Amino acid sequence: MILDWNKYNELARQAVAEGIVLLKNDNEVLPLQKDSKIAVFGRIQSHYYKSGTGSGGMVNVSKVTGILDALLECPDVEVNQKLLDVYQQWEKTHPFNEGIGWGNEPWSQEEMPLPEDIVSAVSSETDTALVIIGRTAGEEQDNQDLPGAYQLSDAEKDMFANVREYFKNMVVVLNVGSIIDMSFVDTYQPDAVLYTWQGGMIGGLGLADVLTGKVSPSGKLTDTIARSIEDYPSSGFFGGLERNDYAEDIYVGYRYFETAAKDKVQFPFGFGLSYTNFTIRTGMFEKTEESFVKLQVSVQNTGSAAGKEVVQIYAQAPQGALGKPARSLVAFQKTLVLEPGEIQHLNFSLTKDTFASYDDSGVTGNKSCYVLEAGIYEIFAGNSVTNLDKSGEFAIDEIIITERLSEAMAPVRDFKRMKASLLADGSYAIKWEDTPLCTEAETVHRDRNLPEEIVCTGDKGYKLIDVKNEKISLEEFVGQLSDDDLACMIRGEGMGSPKAAPGTASAFGGVSEHLKAAGIPCGCCADGPSGIRLDCGTKAFSLPNGTLLACTFNTELVEELFAMTGLEMAKNEVDTLLGPGMNIHRHPLNGRNFEYFSEDPLLTGKMAAAQLRGMQKAGVTGTIKHFCGNNQETRRHDIDSVISERALREIYLKGFEIAVKEGKATSIMTTYGSVNGTWTAGRYDLNTRILRQEWGFRGIVMTDWWANISEYGASPDKMNFAAMARSQNDIYMVCPDGSVNSAGDNTLEALKAGTLTRGELQRNAANICRFLLDTHALLRMNGQDTKVSVINYTETAEDFGQQDVTYYPVDDGAEISLEDVDTSKGSSYVFALDTRRQGGYYVEITGKSDLGELAQIPVTVFLQSTPVGVFTWNGTDGKWVTQTKRILLHSKFSTIRLYFAESGVQLGKIKFIFDINIKDIENIDEYMKGEGLMLFSLGHVLGSPCDPAESTQKA
Ligand code: BGC
């Protein structure tokens, strides 16, 4: 297998260019004329946000080509040097603030105050100003409706005002993960505005292609931009600390705005300008029996530049008894590049279920069914949700049931949900109705459907490869496993387990010697979704973020790009990427929106399916996450998302359903939190009934890392692996050591007590083995894997080669020599720790420097790729000096990186001395205060299992 790095770069660059959304382009200020002179404002020009923060953005890269880099490289534009010098001078005293610890990077960086005389002087040299605004957010850190976050800061407002006053042409470039407050468009009237998102390591190049007109923009908004954040119907609930009522129900995003608040929309869903014009016309419209609705839409380029257009098809279903949104996206396609005058015909074939709604109350007389209520169904085609022409309509005389299901995951708490009601004048009024509640505990479903136990044969000498070679059945193989083996199988091991590729999130499957002897390999997962996260420092390709990719509306391109990622994974021995992230953009402030695709479930599902198909071409896959309802980061471990069954099925589960049915997903991650009172890691209805029985899923379900588990009606308990296994959430992520019960899980205890059956555990093992049967890991174990060779590196070969890390056992306070470490400016040293006891440690570093007393030589410590603190050295007169701080090692395996920002220090050794077991730390924030090197927020650390046998032991 060959991975062509040039092709990878080209595809990513094309994706960036196609995902950029042009919202405004007065007087055709864009594209820039050849040899244009431009003045670039905004300090983020030299600190491109390649992605958001947290696990979804931690890809080590050799080089990021940001906006300024790309413009300086571009022969068609000339960047004003005078202004650039001013920024570079200012940067020296105002370095970029990365924040310390997990989820602590600020949403934005301090902006340089702009002296008016400089703006005026620069404006005499060029007419065109590019103003760049940067924002980030991510895991554990929702965005906030504050200046410098969702809103512009005062310094940014001043910059806008100043630039507007002096420059004829003002182009605003938004390097952001999710949408921000756009009221500045009215206030400062920029000529052009582009959402360029976070484009990964080559993001600047894709933007330069659009600015210079090499590529005409064709990206479309995947979210509605409302005039005010208060206008989003979820605003009153988002960020709740205990519960989050999804009171807007199915009226999410444009489904709400088009129905009940058209006037509140600043930029509609699906909108995005081009450098050319298109005429979209429906040719043929047909209702047939087998394919239901067929239509052909022609797109003609009626402008003067070449470009692509996205055709979007929406339906308006009759209100019936259920109530329907005024518009629902039912299909989309992107054209090829059309030259001026050129026409392309696009064919759409829409099945019956495309138009169905779910009746969760029985109001149509068909409770728990997907139905098409009687009435007229209208179909529209166009290039945004508000720019549509009617393509045709069809009538349904009598209600049609497309799927008969049964109640699953319905809410247990009372709440009122939104329902739109059509008025005589064609407008809609918002009403509120009682949400139907759960009528049957899901534990009953489990009890009624216990799997049969496979006869235990003991070891008959068969290996897993014998199942692949069809010598024996999967059942026969699983029959050989002992209870102990079965208990080990459901323990994922990590992070940074040495049983899988170095620096990855987890090893699972063959985690014990006995399982390995049975020929079960360890599968490997790595974050995801914006490239491969390898904490040992191995470089990887950092991809454009999820929102950007969805804005391309180009599933073929996304599939091709992820075929490259698949090869890269195979090369790095990663079997499943922890992504795509596919939660719905329910609210603009969700910190992880950058990882996710859209407010629309169809687009979300299609994008995820495309990524999966791409990765599958290389024999690997992705883990679709977070299943389901993970729509805020605030208190994500504890929050109860209260969602009607209808909204779950039509909005929050729909994308996952598409990814399973069309994308053939074989790996899923549940969430940290609870949906309707039960934590998803133990939800039988979710992980068994909906996922497997309804959708036909045959793969593995894993928890999120150190997640809570609960069962219907019970409190959450991380050690309740039995509840997890019963629900068919097959793997707990992650345990310090999968081969022993070091975390204190209750699997074997429950098996003995009869509250968990052997048949259930065997079913988990079969799911895991079935997954592993299709992995490179199995082939590798049997000496049958094909290697991936990488061609056309532009970086050095070591950058992308897998790096070996040495694991040091440190419980006994052993020292690690740093004497031969290269401490010159810009270098790093990576090693890993194997700690039997998880908890607080003292870390001592001994070093010396011959520089003067005032010298400052910072050595940054990264734990699992997150900067946790700095040891700063001054001159020591050549004497060895030891500095001590505290560090929290909450995982058995930890990857540590020491980064040397300046030359001048020589290190002797580093030592880790055990202080306190994690369970004995009453208040982690307090414990880590002062000399502590901070990694995780409280919620995350408390999630870490540790050895109860050690819990009383103190250093
Ligand atoms: C995140 C997951 C991620 C996992 C492993 C969790 O904190 O929620 O999305 O895949 O960590 O890094």
Side-chain angles (χ1 to χ4, degrees):
M1 293 193 291
I2 293 174
L3 169 57
D4 180 344
W5 208 257
N6 280 350
K7 190 169 171 205
Y8 206 173
N9 271 295
E10 277 158 27
L11 285 166
R13 182 171 179 164
Q14 188 188 341
V16 173
E18 287 201 24
I20 287 174
V21 183
L22 177 65
L23 291 184
K24 194 176 178 210
N25 193 17
D26 289 353
N27 311 317
E28 299 191 349
V29 61
L30 290 179
L32 299 169
Q33 297 302 310
K34 195 163 165 28
D35 301 326
S36 288
K37 293 183 174 168
I38 52 170
V40 184
F41 291 89
R43 70 97 44 104
I44 213 68
Q45 58 182 283
S46 40
H47 299 277
Y48 184 67
Y49 284 121
K50 69 177 172 37
S51 74
T53 60
S55 61
M58 295 164 76
V59 180
N60 295 308
V61 290
S62 51
K63 180 180 167 204
V64 174
T65 308
I67 299 176
L68 186 64
D69 309 311
L71 292 173
L72 291 173
E73 263 178 37
C74 177
D76 296 341
V77 289
E78 192 188 314
V79 175
N80 185 284
Q81 190 61 41
K82 187 184 284 171
L83 184 61
L84 185 54
D85 290 344
V86 175
Y87 273 103
Q88 286 178 345
Q89 202 52 36
W90 181 81
E91 285 265 343
K92 289 187 184 154
T93 47
H94 298 82
F96 188 88
N97 172 10
E98 309 237 12
I100 285 288
W102 185 257
N104 275 336
E105 192 173 320
W107 297 292
S108 66
Q109 298 287 322
E110 179 189 358
E111 190 48 79
M112 183 180 86
L114 269 182
E116 206 171 329
D117 55 331
I118 291 184
V119 185
S120 148
V122 175
S123 71
S124 64
E125 295 174 21
T126 165
D127 283 346
T128 305
L130 208 69
V131 188
I132 306 172
I133 297 293
R135 287 291 182 277
T136 193
E139 204 169 333
E140 298 274 0
Q141 163 123 297
D142 282 325
N143 201 353
Q144 284 199 25
D145 184 20
L146 293 173
Y150 187 68
Q151 304 163 23
L152 293 185
S153 67
D154 288 345
E156 288 167 338
K157 286 181 186 164
D158 289 348
M159 171 166 72
F160 273 43
N162 248 323
V163 170
R164 184 63 296 180
E165 190 177 335
Y166 287 96
F167 282 83
K168 181 162 170 263
N169 304 323
M170 174 176 174
V171 176
V172 174
V173 168
L174 301 170
N175 171 207
V176 298
S178 181
I179 57 178
I180 60 165
D181 179 34
M182 296 296 285
S183 54
F184 71 80
V185 178
D186 293 337
T187 318
Y188 303 101
Q189 297 285 328
D191 303 279
V193 179
L194 298 127
Y195 263 96
T196 67
W197 312 113
Q198 295 160 336
M201 65 194 277
I202 46 72
L205 295 170
L207 173 62
D209 290 344
V210 168
L211 291 174
T212 56
K214 192 172 155 204
V215 176
S216 172
S218 59
K220 306 286 174 182
L221 285 179
T222 61
D223 295 318
T224 308
I225 301 185
R227 294 201 175 276
S228 153
I229 191 137
E230 300 306 324
D231 296 335
Y232 290 92
S234 52
S235 270
F237 305 93
F238 176 82
L241 299 179
E242 295 295 322
R243 59 188 275 181
N244 190 337
D245 289 357
Y246 286 44
E248 74 282 10
D249 208 48
I250 57 159
Y251 298 93
V252 178
Y254 70 84
R255 282 174 165 75
Y256 165 75
F257 289 105
E258 283 312 296
T259 310
K262 284 191 174 135
D263 54 324
K264 302 215 163 120
V265 175
Q266 191 177 3
F267 296 103
F269 176 88
F271 173 75
L273 298 170
S274 159
Y275 295 152
T276 184
N277 295 312
F278 296 96
T279 305
I280 298 176
R281 281 205 195 90
T282 303
M284 175 268 285
F285 181 93
E286 228 176 63
K287 174 146 177 308
T288 64
E289 254 333 292
E290 26 18 299
S291 61
F292 212 60
V293 171
K294 272 183 159 177
L295 64 156
Q296 190 180 69
V297 179
S298 69
V299 185
Q300 181 168 25
N301 183 343
T302 50
S304 52
K308 292 186 175 185
E309 179 59 302
V310 176
V311 174
Q312 303 159 41
I313 312 289
Y314 295 85
Q316 177 168 18
Q319 287 304 303
L322 286 170
K324 315 279 159 55
R327 295 281 180 276
S328 300
L329 183 71
V330 290
F332 61 88
Q333 275 186 60
K334 193 164 199 171
T335 65
L336 304 169
V337 175
L338 299 180
E339 294 299 327
E342 201 180 346
I343 302 186
Q344 188 180 350
H345 302 286
L346 301 172
N347 293 313
F348 295 89
S349 198
L350 308 171
T351 54
K352 213 181 275 178
D353 50 323
T354 315
F355 304 98
S357 303
Y358 185 78
D359 180 0
D360 57 358
S361 66
V363 68
T364 68
N366 299 286
K367 182 164 162 32
S368 310
C369 294
Y370 270 108
V371 296
L372 266 71
E373 291 196 82
I376 305 291
Y377 288 73
E378 294 178 271
I379 314 294
F380 304 87
N383 63 0
S384 81
V385 73
T386 54
N387 187 28
L388 299 170
D389 285 324
K390 188 162 163 178
S391 301
E393 61 178 43
F394 62 90
I396 297 289
D397 301 331
E398 250 179 65
I399 192 161
I400 299 177
I401 297 174
T402 57
E403 228 184 331
R404 202 176 279 284
L405 302 169
S406 53
E407 182 189 298
M409 288 183 81
V412 290
R413 292 166 122 162
D414 284 338
F415 74 111
K416 298 261 187 221
R417 67 171 171 186
M418 186 182 283
K419 183 177 181 186
S421 144
L422 186 60
L423 305 175
D425 64 358
S427 66
Y428 293 82
I430 291 291
K431 301 233 162 102
W432 297 92
E433 66 174 16
D434 288 332
T435 308
L437 297 181
C438 169
T439 58
E440 195 170 49
E442 67 177 24
T443 34
V444 178
H445 305 147
R446 176 257 172 187
D447 296 344
R448 281 194 210 125
N449 284 293
L450 285 175
E452 271 189 33
E453 186 175 317
I454 300 171
V455 181
C456 290
T457 56
D459 187 0
K460 292 175 77 181
Y462 289 117
K463 310 284 177 216
L464 188 59
I465 195 81
D466 295 326
V467 180
K468 194 169 178 84
N469 294 336
E470 296 179 4
K471 261 200 202 159
I472 52 161
S473 69
L474 181 58
E475 285 65 34
E476 280 174 274
F477 177 76
V478 170
Q480 298 182 110
L481 303 178
S482 68
D483 290 351
D484 220 36
D485 291 333
L486 296 171
C488 290
M489 285 283 281
I490 65 172
R491 293 187 200 121
E493 182 175 307
M495 305 191 72
S497 162
K499 295 173 191 161
T504 52
S506 156
F508 62 94
V511 290
S512 70
E513 282 307 317
H514 201 239
L515 290 169
K516 201 166 139 196
I520 303 177
C522 266
C524 171
C525 348
D527 281 308
S530 307
I532 311 172
R533 168 185 171 190
L534 296 160
D535 282 350
C536 59
T538 304
K539 304 286 190 292
F541 197 97
S542 138
L543 293 159
N545 73 5
T547 306
L548 184 150
L549 292 172
C551 287
T552 65
F553 277 72
N554 189 341
T555 48
E556 286 86 6
L557 174 62
V558 169
E559 181 175 330
E560 266 195 88
L561 177 63
F562 273 78
M564 300 288 116
T565 307
L567 288 167
E568 194 192 358
M569 289 164 62
K571 175 170 168 42
N572 282 290
E573 302 184 358
V574 172
D575 300 291
T576 177
L577 190 73
L578 298 176
M582 31 185 329
N583 295 103
I584 292 291
H585 288 177
R586 176 179 175 239
H587 195 269
L589 297 184
N590 182 6
R592 294 186 86 171
N593 276 350
F594 80 95
E595 294 183 56
Y596 310 145
F597 299 115
S598 167
E599 66 187 19
D600 180 77
L602 177 88
L603 179 59
T604 296
K606 297 280 181 191
M607 282 294 152
Q611 293 193 3
L612 292 174
R613 282 195 301 270
M615 288 185 271
Q616 286 155 9
K617 286 184 183 154
V620 296
T621 191
T623 297
I624 55 178
K625 69 187 188 185
H626 306 87
F627 193 52
C628 66
N630 191 66
N631 299 301
Q632 74 175 52
E633 287 301 294
T634 307
R635 280 181 58 80
R636 63 182 174 150
H637 294 260
D638 309 287
I639 186 90
D640 184 26
S641 301
V642 185
I643 317 177
S644 81
E645 191 188 346
R646 180 177 178 196
L648 276 171
R649 290 187 180 273
E650 290 187 23
I651 307 288
Y652 297 101
L653 287 170
K654 191 49 91 187
F656 288 100
E657 182 177 353
I658 296 170
V660 169
K661 291 182 175 169
E662 291 178 21
K664 309 275 179 278
T666 51
S667 179
I668 294 201
M669 185 193 296
T670 47
T671 67
Y672 280 131
S674 123
V675 175
N676 293 332
T678 306
W679 271 254
T680 55
R683 276 225 83 134
Y684 182 85
D685 274 3
L686 181 67
N687 302 324
T688 295
R689 284 180 65 225
I690 295 179
L691 178 62
R692 299 177 195 264
Q693 292 168 1
E694 291 183 10
W695 302 348
F697 179 81
R698 307 255 298 143
I700 47 170
V701 179
M702 61 183 75
T703 65
D704 200 341
W705 268 234
W706 309 287
N708 274 318
I709 307 165
S710 80
E711 214 162 15
Y712 188 88
S715 311
D717 174 0
K718 286 176 210 280
M719 294 302 102
N720 192 355
F721 282 26
M724 171 191 89
R726 282 193 287 266
S727 81
Q728 268 192 100
N729 184 324
D730 305 295
I731 310 174
Y732 191 80
M733 296 296 191
V734 276
C735 302
D737 179 352
S739 65
V740 289
N741 187 7
S742 57
D745 67 65
N746 67 352
T747 315
L748 290 173
E749 207 179 286
L751 195 62
K752 213 162 152 201
T755 50
L756 171 70
T757 70
R758 182 171 296 116
E760 288 178 303
L761 268 183
Q762 289 171 327
R763 186 172 59 179
N764 300 129
N767 291 338
I768 299 167
C769 287
R770 197 180 302 110
F771 179 90
L772 291 170
L773 277 172
D774 280 328
T775 55
H776 288 278
L778 182 70
L779 297 176
R780 208 165 34 248
M781 183 180 224
N782 291 281
Q784 297 169 6
D785 202 21
T786 28
K787 290 258 173 276
V788 177
S789 23
V790 184
I791 57 168
N792 290 322
Y793 276 137
T794 45
E795 293 77 16
T796 63
E798 303 84 69
D799 278 347
F800 296 94
Q802 201 179 92
Q803 283 170 19
D804 282 332
V805 277
T806 310
Y807 284 79
Y808 294 96
V810 292
D811 291 273
D812 55 0
E815 294 174 359
I816 301 164
S817 167
L818 300 176
E819 272 172 27
D820 296 330
V821 169
D822 172 9
T823 57
S824 59
K825 182 174 174 164
S827 54
S828 283
Y829 177 62
V830 181
F831 58 96
L833 305 177
D834 180 345
T835 46
R836 198 164 38 90
R837 291 174 287 183
Q838 285 80 61
Y841 281 73
Y842 287 104
V843 45
E844 285 181 4
I845 304 186
T846 306
K848 64 179 181 182
S849 170
D850 295 331
L851 299 179
E853 218 179 292
L854 295 181
Q856 289 187 14
I857 314 144
V859 179
T860 309
V861 181
F862 287 76
L863 175 56
Q864 319 288 43
S865 281
T866 303
V868 291
V870 182
F871 283 76
T872 302
W873 300 85
N874 306 108
T876 65
D877 257 347
K879 291 198 195 85
W880 290 105
V881 171
T882 299
Q883 293 191 46
T884 306
K885 290 180 192 282
R886 274 198 306 272
I887 193 165
L888 198 65
L889 301 177
H890 67 97
S891 199
K892 181 165 163 53
F893 305 107
S894 315
T895 318
I896 306 274
R897 177 159 73 95
L898 303 179
Y899 172 71
F900 306 98
E902 297 292 343
S903 301
V905 68
Q906 187 193 336
L907 296 185
K909 60 189 177 194
I910 187 167
K911 203 170 164 180
F912 293 83
I913 304 150
F914 180 73
D915 177 32
I916 181 168
N917 191 292
I918 201 161
K919 283 203 171 158
D920 295 336
I921 305 177
E922 271 172 26
N923 182 327
I924 285 169
D925 283 338
E926 279 300 316
Y927 177 74
M928 295 306 290
K929 260 192 195 150
E931 288 307 278
L933 300 172
M934 274 311 277
L935 174 61
F936 286 118
S937 72
L938 195 60
H940 221 101
V941 170
L942 287 182
S944 172
C946 62
D947 187 349
E950 303 281 353
S951 62
T952 50
Q953 200 164 340
K954 292 248 180 354

